[in-house]
Amino acid sequence: MAQQAFRFTQATDGTITIGSGGAIAGATTITATGLITGAGLDASAGGLVNAGAIAGATTVNASGAITGGSFTDGTLTINAGSITNAVSVNASGAIIGGSLTDGQLNITGGAITGATTITASGQIAGVGVSAGAGALTGTGGSTVSGATDFTIGAFALPVTDGSANQVLKTDGAGTVTWETDAGASTPGAAGDILLSDGGGGFSVDASFNIDTTNELLQIGAGGSVYGAFKSNTTTISSGSATSIDTFAGSAYKGAKYVITAFDATTSESQTTELLVTADGAASSFVPFADVFTSAAPLFTVNVTSAASPAVQLTRTGSNNLTVRFMRQTIA
């Protein structure tokens, strides 16, 4: 029986072109150093080795390894094998498989679906990267590009670094951004435990409080506060009595003041000590020391007799006075 002739459409300079309706099927090995072009390429029993490119293919199916320099277009389905040693894998459709190794993966309009692990030593760039329950890992410092943030769980992280000394700040609604550190600090030495009252005040324990609302340093013993310190400054610019401080006579029964006044025009100063006692309904006082550098006192002092005594100063001259005081109160 005569052997039937082998037929082909064209064979020119290492290029095999399969016409309409043709196919290379059942081959154990197809080796090409040039271009293989066709509508259907089925190498389920063998391999496509050392091919320059698979171009124009609508579908490439493989149960074994596909080794080559470039894969372009179409849908690539890997049942049990892998893409190895590829320089570039370009897809505008879906790439479905168990393993993608080496090279650069560019997804222009499709997605990586069903993968349990995606490992890259270079860059993974694309519109959609979906790894299901798997992980995206990079051994060579791979990055996520083409996005303004990276979502983890319920919040989105920025993908670019902030400026020097910035910190990450959340808006409480899922967005995390780089913000300039406000540089806020709390009082106390290293090792101290400070408890905030939510309004700017702090306490080390129940017997030591920093009350920033009332500008007091409170101290005591056994969980109770017995004394407090306060200081402040003001300017006396009129000849009438000016109140510089007041305290609750029901909370503190005694107070000691050290008051200073400075006349910048004459460069003269005065220091006065003052004792005040209160019972929650009325008060009395006595200045027991006055020292001044001028020929006469710069001010006189008075304390109102009330439930909350007020310390008042009246200047004796016509120049403005800068007044400062330190008050020690005892419960």
Side-chain angles (χ1 to χ4, degrees):
M1 180 183 293
Q3 191 175 31
Q4 189 174 3
F6 177 76
R7 301 176 183 275
F8 56 87
T9 304
Q10 185 179 8
T12 306
D13 297 333
T15 298
I16 301 175
T17 301
I18 305 171
S20 176
I24 300 175
T28 56
T29 301
I30 299 175
T31 302
T33 58
L35 180 67
I36 298 177
T37 303
L41 300 175
D42 186 353
S44 59
L48 301 175
V49 184
N50 297 327
I54 299 176
T58 57
T59 301
V60 178
N61 298 304
S63 59
I66 299 178
T67 304
S70 180
F71 299 91
T72 305
D73 298 337
T75 299
L76 174 61
T77 302
I78 308 169
N79 294 322
S82 62
I83 301 176
T84 60
N85 301 321
V87 177
S88 180
V89 178
N90 300 302
S92 59
I95 297 179
I96 303 173
S99 179
L100 301 173
T101 306
D102 297 337
Q104 180 175 339
L105 174 62
N106 296 303
I107 307 170
T108 58
I112 300 175
T113 60
T116 56
T117 300
I118 300 175
T119 302
S121 59
Q123 185 182 59
I124 298 177
V127 176
V129 177
S130 175
L136 295 174
T137 61
T139 58
S142 60
T143 61
V144 178
S145 63
T148 57
D149 54 41
F150 187 79
T151 301
I152 300 177
F155 60 92
L157 293 171
V159 296
T160 58
D161 193 11
S163 302
N165 300 320
Q166 283 190 314
V167 295
L168 284 173
K169 182 178 181 180
T170 179
D171 64 355
T175 302
V176 178
T177 57
W178 291 106
E179 300 290 341
T180 301
D181 189 357
S185 60
T186 57
D192 286 351
I193 299 176
L194 301 178
L195 305 177
S196 173
D197 64 3
F202 297 88
S203 63
V204 176
D205 57 35
S207 302
F208 188 92
N209 299 300
I210 301 171
D211 183 353
T212 57
T213 301
N214 299 305
E215 299 178 343
L216 292 175
L217 172 62
Q218 299 173 313
I219 58 175
S224 298
V225 172
Y226 300 112
F229 294 90
K230 179 179 180 179
S231 65
N232 210 338
T233 182
T234 188
T235 299
I236 297 179
S237 57
S238 71
S240 59
T242 301
S243 179
I244 65 170
D245 186 48
T246 185
F247 66 92
S250 59
Y252 298 102
K253 304 310 178 187
K256 178 181 179 180
Y257 285 85
V258 177
I259 305 169
T260 65
F262 181 70
D263 185 339
T265 303
T266 61
S267 297
E268 296 172 334
S269 63
Q270 177 179 336
T271 301
T272 297
E273 280 191 310
L274 173 69
L275 287 181
V276 181
T277 187
D279 60 9
S283 64
S284 60
F285 72 99
V286 58
F288 67 94
D290 283 313
V291 181
F292 42 86
T293 60
S294 57
L298 298 178
F299 64 85
T300 59
V301 63
N302 178 63
V303 179
T304 62
S305 180
S308 295
V311 178
Q312 300 174 332
L313 298 189
T314 303
R315 70 184 186 185
T316 57
S318 59
N319 297 329
N320 291 346
L321 298 179
T322 299
V323 176
R324 295 185 175 93
F325 70 87
M326 173 71 73
R327 184 191 78 195
Q328 177 184 353
T329 46
I330 302 175

